[in-house]
Amino acid sequence: DVQLQASGGGLVQAGGSLRLSCAANGFTSDAYTIGWFRQAPGKEREGVSCIGRRDGSTYYTDSGKGRFTISSDNAKNTVYLQMNSLKPEDTAVYYCAATARSYYYCSGYGPSEHEYDYWGQGTQVTVSS
């Protein structure tokens, strides 16, 4: 079974940094993509970034462009989201998710929630002003 484990959230002051990790296990091939999503209180979940496991292609939505960096350590089956210059509006539960749909590619589709089939449990990020 595919399992995703997100970690690394916490409380940080505005302007600070956090690095989230997503450990992905159970895939039988490297033909999948990991995406990061977030959901702030009272708001819908939104995509932040994604990375293709096989080709390393990435995509950032406006939520993370310029401040967040997604990367992958394939040897550890772990994807990271480095978040810098954090703002109070970045406060949310951050989820990692995965898709192995054959037609999907990160750089083309971006982190579209309905394309992802496997979800981790979420990690809370709180940015204080």
Side-chain angles (χ1 to χ4, degrees), residues 17-113:
S17 299
L18 281 175
R19 189 179 77 159
L20 305 183
S21 299
C22 176
N25 295 291
F27 286 100
T28 57
S29 78
D30 61 358
Y32 63 90
T33 296
I34 298 292
W36 282 101
F37 299 80
R38 69 184 186 184
Q39 187 167 23
K43 295 187 177 181
E44 294 186 352
R45 190 156 54 188
E46 63 174 353
V48 176
S49 183
C50 59
I51 185 167
R53 170 64 169 79
R54 176 175 287 175
D55 64 3
S57 64
T58 61
Y59 186 101
Y60 298 91
T61 67
D62 289 343
S63 299
K65 198 174 296 182
R67 298 185 297 125
F68 296 175
T69 302
I70 193 169
S71 62
S72 177
D73 184 336
N74 291 343
K76 295 182 179 180
N77 292 328
T78 299
V79 168
Y80 304 98
L81 185 69
Q82 177 67 43
M83 304 188 296
N84 299 328
S85 302
L86 284 163
K87 306 173 182 178
E89 51 263 44
D90 293 317
T91 295
V93 177
Y94 283 71
Y95 299 89
C96 65
T99 179
R101 300 185 185 189
S102 59
Y103 61 84
Y104 177 93
Y105 59 104
C106 170
S107 59
Y109 285 80
S112 300
E113 181 177 353

Side-chain angles (χ1 to χ4, degrees), residues 5-16:
Q5 181 74 36
S7 61
L11 174 64
V12 64
Q13 289 189 332

